[in-house]
Amino acid sequence: MSKNHNSFERFSNFITGKGFYLAVLICVAAIGLSGFYLIRSVSGRSELGDDQPVGGTASIVSPSPSASVRPSVQPTPTVSPSPVPTTAVSPSPSAEPKPSASPTAPVQSPKPSASPAPLVFTWPVKGSILSGYCVDALAYDVTMGDWRTHNGIDIAADVGTPVKATAAGTVSDVFADDLLGTVVVVDHGSNLTSLYANLTAVPTVKAGDKVSTGTVLGAVGRTASAESGQKSHLHFAMFVSDQSVSPEDFLPEQG
């Protein structure tokens, strides 16, 4: 215990005596060393030039407006704010009202079809009438030697004379009859037909052929056994709805 106490007293005496001067000396040396390095640092920076930064407080002085050289200042472009697109909201389409069916709405009638061109009639052959049309009374038939009706007219013409269509139409039939010989029938439409008999054996048309007024159908022949007692002629008849009519009602006057 006494040994430790003596050591503490010696340390205290050292500090209060020589130790105090030693501590002062150390502080002075530290301050001198710091000053040395500071002066050397400042002198070294000055040798490098004025462009090197120098530690310390620096103040920035704005140039005077009257300075001869003014820095060019680029104008800052004015940027107009771009418009923000707005989404237009279109109103939702409303359902179109359906037209109500009107009970009184007019009904479009179909267009009438074009009426057929009127028929132009001509004599199938030119000549005098040997036997006329007769259905209301009896007439004497020189070939048969009796009295009977006659549903057409017999037009005198030489054998081989061309027989022409009395009007436009379509050949509906070509056949050989036991009494009338070779027969050609032409349909003119509107239930009107014409019949040409006592032709040569081979006519110049066939069923289905389209004919015009004056088209040659064949030639006058001698094939009608029921009229073989007469002079050479064409037996010509016309029908409306299968009822015989007088051909002279349709034929123009012979010139």
Side-chain angles (χ1 to χ4, degrees):
M1 179 70 180
S2 61
K3 185 178 179 179
N4 292 333
H5 181 73
N6 292 330
S7 297
F8 178 76
E9 285 182 351
R10 284 194 301 271
F11 178 76
S12 298
N13 292 331
F14 177 78
I15 292 299
T16 56
K18 296 178 179 180
F20 173 76
Y21 296 106
L22 182 59
V24 171
L25 181 60
I26 292 172
C27 289
V28 171
I31 293 171
L33 184 61
S34 298
F36 172 77
Y37 279 106
L38 178 60
I39 293 171
R40 184 177 179 181
S41 175
V42 171
S43 61
R45 291 177 181 275
S46 61
E47 290 176 0
L48 293 175
D50 294 338
D51 293 336
Q52 297 295 325
V54 178
T57 302
S59 62
I60 300 174
V61 180
S62 300
S64 173
S66 60
S68 59
V69 178
R70 295 184 180 181
S72 60
V73 179
Q74 297 294 332
T76 304
T78 304
V79 180
S80 59
S82 58
V84 179
T86 59
T87 304
V89 180
S90 59
S92 58
S94 58
E96 296 182 358
K98 297 182 178 180
S100 58
S102 174
T104 60
V107 179
Q108 185 177 3
S109 58
K111 295 181 179 180
S113 58
S115 58
L119 294 173
V120 177
F121 293 88
T122 187
W123 285 76
V125 293
K126 295 291 184 69
S128 59
I129 298 176
L130 301 177
S131 298
Y133 176 78
C134 181
V135 293
D136 297 331
L138 297 177
Y140 183 74
D141 188 328
V142 294
T143 303
M144 304 303 293
D146 58 8
W147 297 81
R148 60 181 61 200
T149 59
H150 193 239
N151 66 355
I153 58 176
D154 295 336
I155 307 170
D158 295 334
V159 174
T161 301
V163 177
K164 302 175 182 179
T166 189
T170 303
V171 177
S172 60
D173 203 357
V174 176
F175 62 95
D177 184 80
D178 293 338
L179 297 177
L180 296 177
T182 303
V183 177
V184 172
V185 180
V186 177
D187 183 359
H188 304 287
S190 301
N191 298 318
L192 176 65
T193 58
S194 58
L195 181 146
Y196 312 80
N198 198 29
L199 302 177
T200 56
V202 181
T204 57
V205 294
K206 63 183 182 299
D209 288 350
K210 301 290 185 181
V211 296
S212 302
T213 302
T215 299
V216 176
L217 306 176
V220 175
R222 297 191 65 90
T223 57
S225 60
E227 297 179 348
S228 60
Q230 296 178 342
K231 293 180 179 180
S232 177
H233 67 278
L234 171 71
H235 178 83
F236 178 59
M238 297 190 71
F239 302 85
V240 175
S241 299
D242 297 329
Q243 298 295 321
S244 66
V245 294
S246 173
E248 293 183 84
D249 294 340
F250 297 86
L251 298 176
E253 294 184 0
Q254 292 193 65

